[in-house]
């Protein structure tokens, strides 16, 4: 199948790119063919619901999103940042809270619902969306540029032979292919290796985010309440913390993030999360409650210093496939949407010049001039400081974000990959 643009991944980044392409084409009375491949059986199936969303990028993409019924229903009503000991909780005073932790004007959302709504907007504009079709292989032209992708064959038996319901994979060819697979996308990693996109960049840093959705006692539910914690149950040398977001309908999304640069090989992020829920300040929310669903996801957290080269012949990386998450704000959906829009503008301009399979240099140039670059620049030192330990990291983050407002005359560098930080078990206890 031939398209102008193929998008791999039906999350916020991929759908926003597709929508922006169709908007630009409609504005000039042109036709651009776009398709989105989504590995999940439906849009949103691989999205971990429960997030705080900054609506800035969505407002740029679809200014009348409220009138169109976008599921941003619960505005943040209260922020609490707590430091936990095993038995106590200490609230951070307002004057000590950096601006990056403030959520005034943001929304507690089910990101799965937001993605499904974006998919509806895209389909209305004529985007072809194929759920249940994971891209399994990158296709290349003879000159080494990306030609498109192939989906995996379906109905293959355990012996590797075609079964009765065998369907061969499809080849989708495009002038440009966008990769929006999310954190640690397997095709994105192949592209980074093939085109050496990480040259001169810091090693990428990751976290594991474990999340649960609960229906709680209405008497304990406070729509729009946002709670973040540091401290217990992790030791002071290990990076991590929790989030607890009150959505509508008595629902609460709760989760724990642990940086994957921890040293103790006995550490189990899942067990630490379960322990966290027993804290006196936290457990009251869940007494008499019912857990509805749960999941876990890798988080690309390296920020600006680890951002790879975004383009290669025939395509580009967007969203968390590249690593646009702002870890200091614990937010990535607005960054994903903006990156998709920036790439869409670059592609539309190239298609208008009858180009294809070349490098979209205007995409990284546009990023350099965008508010997204400025936001990531302000946040660039937060994760590196916090990785140096809870107490030193908290003090230095305060100096960096409150005193210097993210514009300190230094940029911390990361020299080791996360897995290199793990130490032999002989030196640690469970």
């Amino acid at each position: 199948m031939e398209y102008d643009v193929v998008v791999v991944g039906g999350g916020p980044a991929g759908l926003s790119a597709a929508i922006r392409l169709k908007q630009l084409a409609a504005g000039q009375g042109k036709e651009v063919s776009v398709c989105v491949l989504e590995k999940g059986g439906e849009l949103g199936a691989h999205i971990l619901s429960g997030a705080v969303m900054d609506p800035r990028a969505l407002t740029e993409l679809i200014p009348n999103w409220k009138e169109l019924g976008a599921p941003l229903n619960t505005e943040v009503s209260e922020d609490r940042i707590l430091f936990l000991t095993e038995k106590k909780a200490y609230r951070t005073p307002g004057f000590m809270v950096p601006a990056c932790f403030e959520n005034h004007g943001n929304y507690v959302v089910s990101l799965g619902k937001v993605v499904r709504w974006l998919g509806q907007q895209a389909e209305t504009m004529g985007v072809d969306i194929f759920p249940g079709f994971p891209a399994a292989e990158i296709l290349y032209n003879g000159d080494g540029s990306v030609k498109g992708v192939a989906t995996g064959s379906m109905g293959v038996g355990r012996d590797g032979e075609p079964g009765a319901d065998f369907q061969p994979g499809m080849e989708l060819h495009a002038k440009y292919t966008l990769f929006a697979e999310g954190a640690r996308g397997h095709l994105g990693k192949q592209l980074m290796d093939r085109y050496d996109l990480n040259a001169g960049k810091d090693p990428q840093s990751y976290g594991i985010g474990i999340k649960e959705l609960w229906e709680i006692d209405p008497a304990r539910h406070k729509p729009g309440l946002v709670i973040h914690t540091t401290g217990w149950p992790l030791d002071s040398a290990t990076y991590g913390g929790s989030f607890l977001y009150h959505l509508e309908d008595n629902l609460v999304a709760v989760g724990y993030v642990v940086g994957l640069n921890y040293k103790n090989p006995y550490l189990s992020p899942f067990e630490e999360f379960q322990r966290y829920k027993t804290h006196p300040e936290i457990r009251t929310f869940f007494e008499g409650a019912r857990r509805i669903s749960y999941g876990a996801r890798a988080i690309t957290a390296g920020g600006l210093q680890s951002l790879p080269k975004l383009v290669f012949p025939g395509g580009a990386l967007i969203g968390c496939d590249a690593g646009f998450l702002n870890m200091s704000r614990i937010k990535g959906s607005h960054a994903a949407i903006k990156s998709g829009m920036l790439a869409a503008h670059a592609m539309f301009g190239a298609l208008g010049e009858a180009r294809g399979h070349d490098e979209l240099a205007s995409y990284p140039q546009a990023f350099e001039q965008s508010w997204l670059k400025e936001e990531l620049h302000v946040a660039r030192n937060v994760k590196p400081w916090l990785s140096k330990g809870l107490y030193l990291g908290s003090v230095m983050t305060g100096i960096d974000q409150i005193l210097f407002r993210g514009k300190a005359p230094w940029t911390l560098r990361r020299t080791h990959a996360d897995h290199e930080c793990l130490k032999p078990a002989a030196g640690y206890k469970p």
Side-chain angles (χ1 to χ4, degrees):
M1 300 176 69
E2 298 281 345
Y3 285 93
D4 292 318
V5 175
V6 167
V7 181
V8 180
L15 291 170
S16 298
I19 289 169
R20 181 55 106 200
L21 276 165
K22 285 293 190 179
Q23 288 173 336
L24 293 168
Q28 295 191 15
K30 296 181 178 179
E31 183 58 42
V32 173
S33 57
V34 184
C35 98
V36 175
L37 294 176
E38 165 54 36
K39 65 179 180 285
E42 62 174 353
L43 288 179
H46 282 259
I47 299 291
L48 277 189
S49 289
V52 173
M53 184 175 183
D54 181 343
R56 180 176 186 177
L58 181 62
T59 301
E60 290 184 5
L61 179 68
I62 305 175
N64 61 334
W65 55 263
K66 285 186 179 180
E67 291 78 4
L68 292 175
L72 280 70
N73 303 317
T74 308
E75 192 166 352
V76 174
S77 59
E78 182 186 352
D79 266 316
R80 294 181 196 169
I81 298 178
L82 306 178
F83 172 76
L84 302 184
T85 63
E86 189 169 354
K87 301 294 184 184
K88 300 280 188 178
Y90 300 93
R91 186 167 180 173
T92 305
F95 71 91
M96 294 178 62
V97 177
C100 58
F101 295 131
E102 295 176 357
N103 284 298
H104 178 73
N106 297 329
Y107 291 81
V108 183
V109 301
S110 162
L111 198 57
K113 290 182 179 178
V114 173
V115 164
R116 284 189 282 275
W117 179 83
L118 284 171
Q120 293 167 4
Q121 310 311 305
E123 287 185 314
T124 299
M125 295 175 179
V127 176
D128 290 342
I129 299 178
F130 300 124
F133 285 91
E137 179 188 357
I138 305 169
L139 306 174
Y140 297 96
N141 292 306
D143 62 0
S145 62
V146 172
K147 183 180 186 179
V149 292
T151 64
S153 298
M154 304 176 77
V156 178
R158 290 183 180 180
D159 57 0
E161 297 299 318
D165 55 350
F166 175 75
Q167 283 184 286
M170 294 189 301
E171 286 197 7
L172 293 105
H173 299 172
K175 297 182 177 72
Y176 296 104
T177 307
L178 277 183
F179 293 84
E181 305 165 280
R184 290 181 58 79
H186 74 292
L187 299 183
K189 289 196 291 183
Q190 292 176 30
L191 292 163
M192 290 177 194
D193 289 341
R194 182 181 180 99
Y195 296 110
D196 200 17
L197 302 180
N198 290 316
K201 308 293 184 178
D202 289 3
Q204 188 56 265
S205 180
Y206 297 96
I208 181 74
I210 303 165
K211 184 181 290 187
E212 297 176 348
L213 186 68
W214 286 70
E215 183 180 10
I216 70 169
D217 183 345
R220 294 185 168 97
H221 187 251
K222 301 179 180 179
L225 173 61
V226 168
I227 300 174
H228 292 105
T229 76
T230 58
W232 189 89
L234 295 180
D235 61 47
S236 62
T238 304
Y239 174 84
S242 79
F243 56 88
L244 195 152
Y245 304 148
H246 287 238
L247 298 94
E248 66 259 32
D249 302 325
N250 302 318
L251 296 177
V252 165
V254 60
Y256 212 85
V257 175
V258 177
L260 293 182
N261 61 343
Y262 57 81
K263 297 178 181 179
N264 184 352
Y266 290 111
L267 174 65
S268 165
F270 176 78
E271 297 293 345
E272 297 305 302
F273 174 38
Q274 302 311 319
R275 207 149 65 109
Y276 151 80
K277 287 186 295 182
T278 69
H279 190 278
E281 186 77 12
I282 304 301
R283 68 178 300 146
T284 55
F285 289 112
F286 301 106
E287 287 169 347
R290 180 172 67 99
R291 185 171 58 187
I292 297 172
S293 59
Y294 48 88
R297 193 79 172 91
I299 299 169
T300 311
L304 197 59
Q305 296 94 310
S306 302
L307 207 61
K309 183 180 177 183
L310 301 174
V311 293
F312 43 85
L317 301 171
I318 59 176
C320 284
D321 223 350
F324 282 108
L325 177 96
N326 183 340
M327 193 60 194
S328 75
R329 300 184 69 196
I330 323 178
K331 291 178 181 59
S333 54
H334 72 296
I337 290 171
K338 182 64 174 178
S339 69
M341 293 167 64
L342 292 170
H345 279 273
M347 283 186 297
F348 185 73
L351 292 170
E353 297 169 1
R355 288 162 46 199
H357 306 114
D358 59 350
E359 241 181 56
L360 294 162
S362 59
Y363 166 37
Q365 289 169 3
F367 166 68
E368 290 293 327
Q369 304 299 317
S370 70
W371 58 256
L372 179 55
K373 164 67 184 299
E374 182 180 351
E375 180 180 314
L376 294 180
H377 179 77
V378 167
R380 72 197 183 282
N381 289 326
V382 173
K383 178 70 159 50
W385 276 131
L386 291 174
S387 296
K388 295 183 182 297
L390 177 60
Y391 302 116
L392 174 62
S394 297
V395 170
M396 294 309 297
T397 295
I399 292 173
D400 189 284
Q401 293 293 301
I402 297 174
L403 185 62
F404 287 102
R405 299 183 183 277
K407 297 179 181 178
W410 59 75
T411 297
L412 301 184
R413 312 301 308 196
R414 186 179 298 102
T415 56
H416 296 286
D418 290 335
H419 68 273
E420 296 173 332
C421 299
L422 202 65
K423 301 295 184 184
Y428 288 86
K429 294 180 180 180

